[in-house]
Amino acid sequence: MAAAVKVYGPPLSTAVSRVLACLLEKDVPFQLLPVNMARGEHKKPDYLKIQPFGQVPAFQDESITLFESRAISRYICDKYANQGNKLFGTNPLEKASIDQWLEAEGQSFNPPSSVLVFQLAFAPRMKLKQDENLIKQNEAKLAKVLDVYEKRLGESRYLAGDEFTLADLSHLPNGQYLVNATDRGELFLSRKNVERWWGEISSRESWKKVVEMQNSPPPSA
Amino acid sequence: MAAAVKVYGPPLSTAVSRVLACLLEKDVPFQLLPVNMARGEHKKPDYLKIQPFGQVPAFQDESITLFESRAISRYICDKYANQGNKLFGTNPLEKASIDQWLEAEGQSFNPPSSVLVFQLAFAPRMKLKQDENLIKQNEAKLAKVLDVYEKRLGESRYLAGDEFTLADLSHLPNGQYLVNATDRGELFLSRKNVERWWGEISSRESWKKVVEMQNSPPPSA
């Protein structure tokens, strides 16, 4: 058996949890290495060698080192194509549909939802002042995006078609916080098809394990 | 010969020009269809059928319709793998390196650079007030990203390695405006390796043709 791949970063990070969900879906053994961001470990020279932007996660598989959660997830789907659940397509048409919804997540869904998650879930815990104007703007942006999703999910079970793919998975990290750690869960739950989709994707065993990891006390480091 | 693919949208749009550069590199014949955004054509029901977010570009190749410029570009590289210049890798390692720098573009380079392009190049033409604070914040963000690029481009000729790839190409649209239509071109030109790289990628025949298209008078519609 090959050595476990390594993921650097805390599972509470949305980008780290995206990679963890992908590894669990693909049945890839992994080792999670803590990065204490409160102590600035992500900005230290040794860490910057593997993640030059000083962000989490970083990822290692034998001799390869990668950053950017969506790129890491694509690599996992590609390298481990023949194990676990199929998260990516094999012909240009299937791949293109997954790619377009994965890009919609990265470019349209992620920007407003990560602002809302930060402002509504993290800022209060960090005793930072919330920016009401920014919240309002991004709530309106996200509502428009979810209107498009609502229509799409009335036509197909998942974003890219009949099967759960990396495009759906990629929405789990921000979706989880929005629905469970802010008072704006209605953005998802008031839209019939989005709510049905969210129920399906967030109850997958892989994702439930990630949420458990998020709720476990961090290792004493 | 197959019918030309269709691209909807004005070449002045950064996302449209990303797709055009990709098509020219891959020697794929295309037809450019105007979308008059000033008249709100991108928000009309017929257009929303092919681009549900009401953005440009939209793309059609025979029976397939796609949106999101980076997803369209991946599709072009995949479907037309055996013609034009090779922009994407074929083994998991090559692909992963391209993917990570393409994601760095989409997630780290694009957000601050598109704010700067809008604020510094487009807002004055549209007689909109510039937001000095936003400009300052995003200039600082972009400078940090370009510091990482500067280091990387001291180690390899292009972002993903020795060859020009989709990861480099994807930086052309915002880079072009930043260097040529704002007073912040120094962000690129004051960094030795970034400047060398920018000179190489922006002087490719494909990109020079896109810039020509941007500078041509729009078809009377």
Side-chain angles (χ1 to χ4, degrees), chain B residues 59-75:
Chain B
F59 176 86
Q60 286 181 316
D61 183 6
E62 299 175 31
S63 67
I64 190 170
T65 300
L66 289 174
F67 50 85
E68 284 293 341
S69 63
R70 295 169 191 86
I72 296 167
S73 301
R74 282 174 184 280
Y75 168 82

Side-chain angles (χ1 to χ4, degrees), chain A residues 1-211:
Chain A
M1 203 183 105
V5 303
K6 290 178 188 166
V7 180
Y8 295 80
L12 284 170
S13 138
T14 53
V16 172
S17 67
R18 180 175 293 116
V19 170
L20 297 178
C22 186
L23 289 165
L24 289 164
E25 285 283 340
K26 297 300 293 174
D27 270 337
V28 178
F30 61 89
Q31 191 188 353
L32 185 61
L33 294 125
V35 175
N36 191 323
M37 299 176 77
R39 285 197 214 143
E41 281 179 13
H42 56 311
K43 302 293 179 191
K44 297 206 169 140
D46 274 357
Y47 186 75
L48 291 174
K49 273 184 207 154
I50 55 170
Q51 214 303 1
F53 292 97
Q55 296 164 344
V56 291
F59 176 86
Q60 285 181 318
D61 184 5
E62 298 173 33
S63 67
I64 188 169
T65 299
L66 290 174
F67 49 86
E68 283 294 340
S69 63
R70 294 167 191 85
I72 296 167
S73 301
R74 283 174 184 279
Y75 168 82
I76 295 164
C77 291
D78 192 23
K79 166 114 188 254
Y80 300 98
N82 298 322
Q83 67 185 72
N85 298 317
K86 190 183 147 203
L87 295 182
F88 221 92
T90 40
N91 70 56
L93 260 178
E94 274 181 356
K95 282 199 267 185
S97 182
I98 298 167
D99 269 332
Q100 95 176 340
W101 289 104
L102 191 56
E103 283 295 328
E105 184 275 317
Q107 295 295 323
S108 296
F109 175 84
N110 183 59
S113 63
S114 48
V115 170
L116 291 178
V117 166
F118 183 80
Q119 289 288 327
L120 298 168
F122 288 93
R125 296 185 206 175
M126 297 163 78
K127 316 226 186 263
L128 295 171
K129 200 168 168 278
Q130 293 176 321
D131 184 330
E132 290 301 332
N133 222 0
L134 199 63
I135 292 171
K136 218 169 164 178
Q137 276 170 15
N138 283 282
E139 192 175 352
K141 271 190 202 168
L142 183 57
K144 277 192 191 167
V145 172
L146 291 175
D147 285 343
V148 176
Y149 282 38
E150 177 68 4
K151 188 155 180 293
R152 171 64 181 168
L153 293 166
E155 296 156 1
S156 71
R157 184 166 166 194
Y158 295 104
L159 287 171
D162 294 335
E163 308 285 340
F164 176 80
T165 69
L166 188 57
D168 305 293
L169 181 150
S170 203
H171 291 78
L172 285 165
N174 280 313
Q176 179 76 22
Y177 283 120
L178 266 177
V179 171
N180 297 293
T182 79
D183 57 0
R184 310 296 155 107
E186 286 303 303
L187 281 161
F188 273 50
L189 306 180
S190 67
R191 289 173 169 84
K192 194 181 69 169
N193 302 316
V194 172
E195 188 209 15
R196 188 261 314 148
W197 168 77
W198 177 251
E200 288 198 45
I201 69 172
S202 62
S203 61
R204 292 179 75 87
E205 287 307 314
S206 59
W207 185 246
K208 287 198 282 185
K209 274 186 206 154
V210 175
V211 174

Side-chain angles (χ1 to χ4, degrees), chain B residues 42-96:
Chain B
H42 56 310
K43 303 291 179 191
K44 296 206 172 143
D46 274 358
Y47 185 74
L48 291 175
K49 274 184 207 155
I50 56 169
Q51 214 302 0
F53 292 97
Q55 297 164 344
V56 292
F59 176 86
Q60 286 181 316
D61 183 6
E62 299 175 31
S63 67
I64 190 170
T65 300
L66 289 174
F67 50 85
E68 284 293 341
S69 63
R70 295 169 191 86
I72 296 167
S73 301
R74 282 174 184 280
Y75 168 82
I76 294 164
C77 291
D78 192 25
K79 167 114 188 253
Y80 300 98
N82 299 324
Q83 68 185 70
N85 298 318
K86 189 184 149 206
L87 295 182
F88 221 93
T90 40
N91 69 56
L93 261 177
E94 275 182 357
K95 281 199 266 184

Side-chain angles (χ1 to χ4, degrees), chain B:
Chain B
M1 201 184 110
V5 303
K6 291 179 185 164
V7 180
Y8 295 80
L12 285 171
S13 139
T14 52
V16 172
S17 67
R18 180 175 294 117
V19 170
L20 297 177
C22 186
L23 290 165
L24 289 163
E25 286 282 341
K26 298 298 294 174
D27 270 337
V28 178
F30 61 88
Q31 190 188 354
L32 186 60
L33 295 127
V35 175
N36 191 322
M37 298 177 78
R39 285 197 214 144
E41 281 178 12
H42 56 310
K43 303 291 179 191
K44 296 206 172 143
D46 274 358
Y47 185 74
L48 291 175
K49 274 184 207 155
I50 56 169
Q51 214 302 0
F53 292 97
Q55 297 164 344
V56 292
F59 176 86
Q60 286 181 316
D61 183 6
E62 299 175 31
S63 67
I64 190 170
T65 300
L66 289 174
F67 50 85
E68 284 293 341
S69 63
R70 295 169 191 86
I72 296 167
S73 301
R74 282 174 184 280
Y75 168 82
I76 294 164
C77 291
D78 192 25
K79 167 114 188 253
Y80 300 98
N82 299 324
Q83 68 185 70
N85 298 318
K86 189 184 149 206
L87 295 182
F88 221 93
T90 40
N91 69 56
L93 261 177
E94 275 182 357
K95 281 199 266 184
S97 181
I98 299 168
D99 268 331
Q100 97 178 338
W101 289 104
L102 190 56
E103 284 295 327
E105 184 275 316
Q107 295 295 323
S108 296
F109 175 84
N110 183 59
S113 63
S114 48
V115 169
L116 291 178
V117 166
F118 183 81
Q119 289 287 327
L120 298 168
F122 287 93
R125 296 185 206 175
M126 297 163 79
K127 316 225 186 265
L128 294 172
K129 198 169 170 278
Q130 292 176 322
D131 182 331
E132 290 302 332
N133 222 359
L134 200 63
I135 292 172
K136 219 169 164 178
Q137 276 170 17
N138 283 282
E139 192 176 351
K141 271 190 203 171
L142 184 57
K144 278 192 191 169
V145 172
L146 292 174
D147 284 342
V148 177
Y149 282 38
E150 177 67 4
K151 186 156 182 291
R152 170 66 182 167
L153 293 165
E155 297 156 357
S156 72
R157 184 166 166 195
Y158 295 103
L159 287 171
D162 296 334
E163 307 286 339
F164 175 80
T165 68
L166 188 57
D168 305 293
L169 180 150
S170 203
H171 291 79
L172 286 165
N174 281 313
Q176 179 75 23
Y177 284 118
L178 267 176
V179 172
N180 297 293
T182 78
D183 57 1
R184 312 295 155 108
E186 287 302 303
L187 280 162
F188 273 48
L189 306 179
S190 67
R191 290 174 169 83
K192 193 182 71 169
N193 302 315
V194 172
E195 188 207 16
R196 188 262 312 148
W197 167 76
W198 178 251
E200 288 198 45
I201 70 172
S202 63
S203 62
R204 291 180 74 87
E205 286 307 314
S206 59
W207 185 246
K208 288 199 282 189
K209 273 187 205 154
V210 174
V211 175
E212 250 172 58
M213 291 172 77
Q214 292 184 330
N215 294 331
S216 307
S220 52

